[in-house]
Amino acid sequence: MTEERYEFTSAAKKRLIITLVVGLAVLALGIVMMSSGGGHDAHGAETAEAAEGGHHAFNWMQRIWANLWINNVFFGGLALIGVFFVAIQYAAQAGWSAGIVRVPLAFGGWLPIAFVLMLVTYLLGGHDIFHWAHHDLYDPASPDFDPILDGKKGFFYWPMSEHPSVPVFWLFRLVFFFGVWYFIFTKIRSLMFEEDTVGDDSYWFRLRKLSAIFLVFFAFSSSIAAWDWIMSIDPHWFSTMMGWYAFASWWVSGLALITFVVVLLKDRGYLKVVDANHLHDLGKFVFAFSVFWTYIWFSQFFLIYYSNIPEETIYFVERWKSGHYAPFFYFNLAINFFFPFLVLMTRDSKRHSRILKIVCPAVIFGHWMDFYLMVTPGTLKDNGGFGLVEVGMLTVFVAAFLYVVLLNLSKAPLVGKNHPMLQESLHHHI
């Protein structure tokens, strides 16, 4: 078979750069409206008078930091899921996906950018994102002393001093996880590209072993990352299902993005090895894991609702009962479960690119909204909203993420010609 290479044309680069600039302009307009006191766009209630004193007073910069955190976590998760998908294919010795694995592999190029953005966002805005980051909460002499958080401080600040100030343990986990993820990603990528030139089956066996190692590390690191980056935003609340819940949302949005990129490449004449059978499999994944996400969502919600323990129910009260977030709470269920479930239920719907090009972007946006609901109520309380700031920030991240992905995609052949399972993929039929 002839070698296929994606050409990242100057026109495509120009469109993404224009999109990024438009996003920056919308974001700047939203910031101006907030800072001038006119920031009541959509459901926003950005008034400094909303609360008084200490670290409870609201400042419009908090909304900027919250949006940066939402997008850092979401798009960093998409990059990680790309590597996770590749690792699953090799560890499971899957043949059907041999022609598409380089699409999710390209997602991993965002990992170092996600790490830098996340670290900088915490260092500059961590006090506005995380309630536990305020040092007076751990001082018994302070009126803001919090005995519950004082009991949890070892999770953030170990090794602990009398007056903890730098969350060494929390930062160590951030650096360590990204370091291992990126290291294994680069090793997988280099072995896949070397296989193109050498054509030795030993590369496939090495990739299978490396993928298994990555999956084991991913299993616990992704859960702990969800505790650190999402659940700790509401530090008095916890859920034993948060690791699974964050993974489910990352995973189904990653599958939708893989499917969407594959469909777009196919429409532009690339990925000739891909046919309706491969699209059917990808569509089944999006359908099945939309149901899986709903199962996790319902399990977490119903157990908390039924037990009716105030320390647990407050999490959903802030999202379900609040006028700021209630519409998004119901929208979240509609777009992430009912829409993909009903549209992708039939066999034919999973095999047509026109339907997948509608469902996949909707699922991706829906799960971005899911992360919005995980982060914003705990960070901003009643000062949250959805308006120009959110639209602008999301647009900037979408353009930047796609630029990195397409740039990485153009650096190597789209299909590994020496992949030992390629013939199985070429004759895949369901």
Side-chain angles (χ1 to χ4, degrees):
M1 58 176 293
T2 58
E3 183 178 278
E4 279 188 291
R5 280 185 176 268
Y6 171 71
E7 182 184 0
F8 192 17
T9 64
S10 56
K13 294 177 181 177
K14 184 178 179 181
R15 284 194 294 269
L16 287 175
I17 292 172
I18 291 174
T19 302
L20 190 146
V21 172
V22 170
L24 287 173
V26 173
L27 175 60
L29 180 59
I31 292 173
V32 169
M33 291 177 64
M34 283 197 300
S35 61
S36 63
H40 297 273
D41 50 337
H43 295 276
E46 292 78 21
T47 58
E49 296 80 19
E52 296 178 359
H55 34 76
H56 301 290
F58 177 74
N59 182 286
W60 63 266
M61 272 302 298
Q62 290 177 248
R63 187 159 164 183
I64 304 301
W65 296 127
N67 275 275
L68 276 169
W69 197 254
I70 294 165
N71 288 284
N72 282 335
V73 172
F74 180 72
F75 287 97
L78 287 180
L80 180 60
I81 286 299
V83 187
F84 177 73
F85 183 92
V86 174
I88 283 181
Q89 306 313 307
Y90 278 101
Q93 305 179 56
W96 73 273
S97 57
I100 64 169
V101 288
R102 299 213 169 165
V103 171
L105 182 71
F107 296 1
W110 183 261
L111 281 173
I113 299 173
F115 165 68
V116 172
L117 288 173
M118 193 166 286
L119 184 61
V120 171
T121 301
Y122 173 79
L123 293 176
L124 297 180
H127 281 65
D128 289 327
I129 299 171
F130 298 102
H131 179 65
W132 56 259
H134 296 275
H135 310 145
D136 52 344
L137 297 171
Y138 309 99
D139 183 1
S142 171
D144 292 318
F145 175 69
D146 191 325
I148 295 177
L149 289 186
D150 189 59
K152 298 181 179 182
K153 66 183 178 184
F155 186 72
F156 306 111
Y157 290 97
W158 183 87
M160 294 174 288
S161 61
E162 185 177 352
H163 300 290
S165 57
V166 179
V168 176
F169 198 23
W170 189 90
L171 289 171
F172 168 77
R173 292 194 296 270
L174 176 69
V175 174
F176 178 64
F177 289 163
F178 269 106
V180 175
W181 293 336
Y182 186 65
F183 173 75
I184 299 180
F185 158 68
T186 56
K187 291 294 291 182
I188 289 175
R189 182 175 60 181
S190 64
L191 288 172
M192 289 176 71
F193 294 167
E194 286 176 28
E195 186 181 53
D196 285 344
T197 56
V198 179
D200 189 339
D201 285 352
S202 64
Y203 283 94
W204 182 79
F205 287 103
R206 291 164 66 186
L207 281 163
R208 193 178 68 176
K209 293 178 182 177
L210 189 59
S211 296
I213 293 171
F214 175 83
L215 292 176
V216 172
F217 183 78
F218 175 89
F220 68 86
S221 61
S222 61
S223 288
I224 297 173
W227 306 341
D228 283 351
W229 305 343
I230 302 170
M231 193 167 70
S232 72
I233 289 174
D234 297 272
H236 287 187
W237 177 85
F238 68 91
S239 169
T240 56
M241 300 184 67
M242 178 51 73
W244 277 107
Y245 184 76
F247 163 73
S249 200
W250 273 327
W251 178 229
V252 71
S253 53
L255 290 170
L257 183 59
I258 294 167
T259 306
F260 188 57
V261 174
V262 168
V263 168
L264 291 182
L265 289 173
K266 183 70 177 173
D267 284 355
R268 285 159 177 74
Y270 297 104
L271 294 178
K272 295 180 176 60
V273 301
V274 174
D275 57 27
N277 297 291
H278 300 90
L279 295 182
H280 190 179
D281 274 349
L282 289 170
K284 282 195 298 185
F285 273 124
V286 176
F287 172 82
F289 284 99
S290 292
V291 177
F292 173 72
W293 171 85
T294 310
Y295 164 71
I296 301 296
W297 183 95
F298 179 77
S299 298
Q300 179 174 255
F301 172 79
F302 187 71
L303 288 174
I304 291 174
Y305 177 86
Y306 187 74
S307 62
N308 201 27
I309 300 172
E311 300 93 290
E312 296 179 352
T313 56
I314 184 61
Y315 182 85
F316 286 104
V317 168
E318 289 179 340
R319 290 155 175 80
W320 184 20
K321 299 295 185 180
S322 168
H324 295 293
Y325 306 111
F328 304 121
F329 182 86
Y330 293 106
F331 175 76
N332 190 32
L333 275 178
I335 196 170
N336 289 326
F337 172 61
F338 291 106
F339 180 64
F341 180 78
L342 294 174
V343 176
L344 294 179
M345 185 178 293
T346 64
R347 171 183 169 87
D348 288 344
S349 65
K350 305 179 189 74
R351 303 174 72 88
H352 289 291
S353 60
R354 286 178 295 179
I355 295 177
L356 293 174
K357 282 191 288 188
I358 295 172
V359 174
C360 290
V363 168
I364 295 166
F365 176 72
H367 284 281
W368 179 91
M369 185 61 68
D370 191 29
F371 278 89
Y372 168 87
L373 283 172
M374 291 186 220
V375 173
T376 306
T379 301
L380 301 180
K381 305 300 181 184
D382 288 337
N383 298 301
F386 188 86
L388 295 179
V389 171
E390 285 70 28
V391 172
M393 190 78 75
L394 175 59
T395 303
V396 169
F397 270 82
V398 167
F401 183 82
L402 289 178
Y403 191 98
V404 171
V405 169
L406 295 179
L407 185 63
N408 277 271
L409 205 58
S410 67
K411 292 180 178 180
L414 284 174
V415 179
K417 61 182 179 181
N418 292 322
H419 193 298
M421 297 288 189
L422 184 56
Q423 287 301 313
E424 182 178 334
S425 182
L426 289 171
H427 297 92
H428 178 61
H429 179 75
I430 53 173

